[in-house]
Amino acid sequence: MSIDELDLELLNNEYKDKSPFEIVKYVYYKIGAQRIALASSLSIEDQLLTDILLKIDNKARIFFIDTGRHFQSTYDLMDRTMRKYHFKYEVYAPESQDLELLIREHGPNLFYQSVDLRKKCCEIRKVKPLKRVLATVDGWICGLRREQSVTRENVNIFEWDCVHSIYKVNPIAFWTEDMVWEYIKKENIPYNSLYDKGFRSIGCQPCTRAVKPGEDVRSGRWWWEDSDKKECGLHIQNKTVE
């Protein structure tokens, strides 16, 4: 029986108490090795899932969207991770023509001007490259957690991505940040040095800053915007299949 014949609600109930390893292993072989991929931004969540997925298959597909505005420490971590696990990321970047036109019309720092322009930048640098890779799969694995922000508080383990018409799997949807760190330290998984400097959610350099004590995980992302708008378009609220 293929995964598209399964009721997602029943599947979520069945796997809600399973480990991320069990969830990833199930969906990896159910959908098929070359038809599912892990989206990695090199966050602690994605590093955890990289470790799990490569333990299942060291030739698994893991992709990284290179926006061109990442911190140097993110690229350094990418290099360290590739050397530790002996694999290569699939790298996707913005189309040069789109990027050239965007900067020519609005300047290099357009994201500070308005929410619409910030989302336009995210669309060019992140969303369009994502569409290219997701066109090659039937499902993708993400490191989303409910605890991260108000925009993610309803995230489920198994979802239907209605935007890309594929399955979306969030194996650590119910995990806390402390649980992620415990796994990171236990398995000696490399992580971005910025976490040791107060960063808790790391994206593009101009749009990311350290988090103050008591602030939520994603308060350092697009800090000039309202908390209910802090998504880049990669993770639009999904709907489950009835």
Side-chain angles (χ1 to χ4, degrees):
M1 179 167 54
S2 63
I3 196 170
D4 60 298
E5 297 173 316
L6 298 174
D7 184 297
L8 291 187
E9 184 176 354
L10 292 176
L11 195 59
N12 278 310
N13 287 333
E14 180 182 352
Y15 277 84
K16 65 181 180 181
D17 296 320
K18 301 285 188 181
S19 70
F21 184 89
E22 291 174 296
I23 295 168
V24 173
K25 185 175 181 179
Y26 166 77
V27 75
Y28 186 73
Y29 289 114
K30 179 62 69 172
I31 291 181
Q34 292 304 305
R35 298 301 300 176
I36 191 166
L38 167 64
S40 177
S41 65
L42 284 297
S43 67
I44 52 172
E45 291 84 2
D46 297 335
Q47 289 295 91
L48 179 158
L49 292 172
T50 294
D51 181 81
I52 289 174
L53 185 55
L54 293 178
K55 284 176 179 175
I56 293 171
D57 184 355
N58 61 8
K59 295 182 180 179
R61 297 181 63 184
I62 302 175
F63 68 89
F64 174 76
I65 296 177
D66 187 357
T67 65
R69 300 300 297 265
H70 289 292
F71 289 89
Q72 181 58 45
S73 60
T74 299
Y75 295 113
D76 292 342
L77 175 60
M78 187 178 181
D79 185 64
R80 285 162 49 209
T81 305
M82 290 171 65
R83 285 188 281 109
K84 175 180 174 63
Y85 294 101
H86 306 289
F87 84 108
K88 294 181 179 179
Y89 290 93
E90 293 182 19
V91 179
Y92 294 82
E95 296 287 351
S96 60
Q97 185 175 5
D98 291 342
L99 201 55
E100 289 164 4
L101 180 60
L102 181 73
I103 297 174
R104 185 183 306 132
E105 290 186 350
H106 302 289
N109 296 322
L110 69 159
F111 29 79
Y112 296 132
Q113 298 175 35
S114 70
V115 173
D116 287 342
L117 283 178
R118 194 272 292 170
K119 289 184 176 180
K120 181 67 175 177
C121 186
C122 289
E123 178 187 1
I124 297 300
R125 294 182 183 274
K126 297 181 180 181
V127 178
K128 293 186 73 173
L130 178 71
K131 289 180 179 179
R132 296 208 316 270
V133 60
L134 294 189
T136 71
V137 298
D138 296 317
W140 59 315
I141 303 170
C142 303
L144 301 186
R145 296 185 297 107
R146 289 189 171 195
E147 184 191 56
Q148 288 170 328
S149 69
V150 294
T151 60
R152 298 180 179 183
E153 59 187 9
N154 294 317
V155 165
N156 226 325
I157 296 172
F158 296 95
E159 298 181 330
W160 174 251
D161 184 337
C162 57
V163 175
H164 304 100
S165 297
I166 59 175
Y167 288 92
K168 186 175 185 178
V169 185
N170 307 298
I172 54 174
F174 297 100
W175 274 39
T176 64
E177 188 176 4
D178 286 343
M179 292 169 69
V180 175
W181 276 116
E182 183 179 355
Y183 187 98
I184 291 284
K185 298 300 177 67
K186 179 183 177 182
E187 300 297 327
N188 194 30
I189 298 172
Y191 63 88
N192 198 316
S193 59
L194 290 176
Y195 282 103
D196 295 329
K197 300 177 181 179
F199 288 74
R200 294 175 67 195
S201 178
I202 303 167
C204 292
Q205 185 170 6
C207 300
T208 308
R209 70 175 182 181
V211 172
K212 298 176 182 178
E215 290 183 326
D216 67 64
V217 174
R218 286 175 65 81
S219 60
R221 302 288 294 277
W222 311 298
W223 60 90
W224 60 91
E225 298 179 6
D226 294 335
S227 60
D228 61 351
K229 298 176 181 177
K230 292 188 176 183
E231 290 292 351
C232 59
L234 296 183
H235 302 291
I236 296 175
Q237 187 65 40
N238 296 296
K239 300 178 182 178
T240 57
V241 175
E242 300 297 335

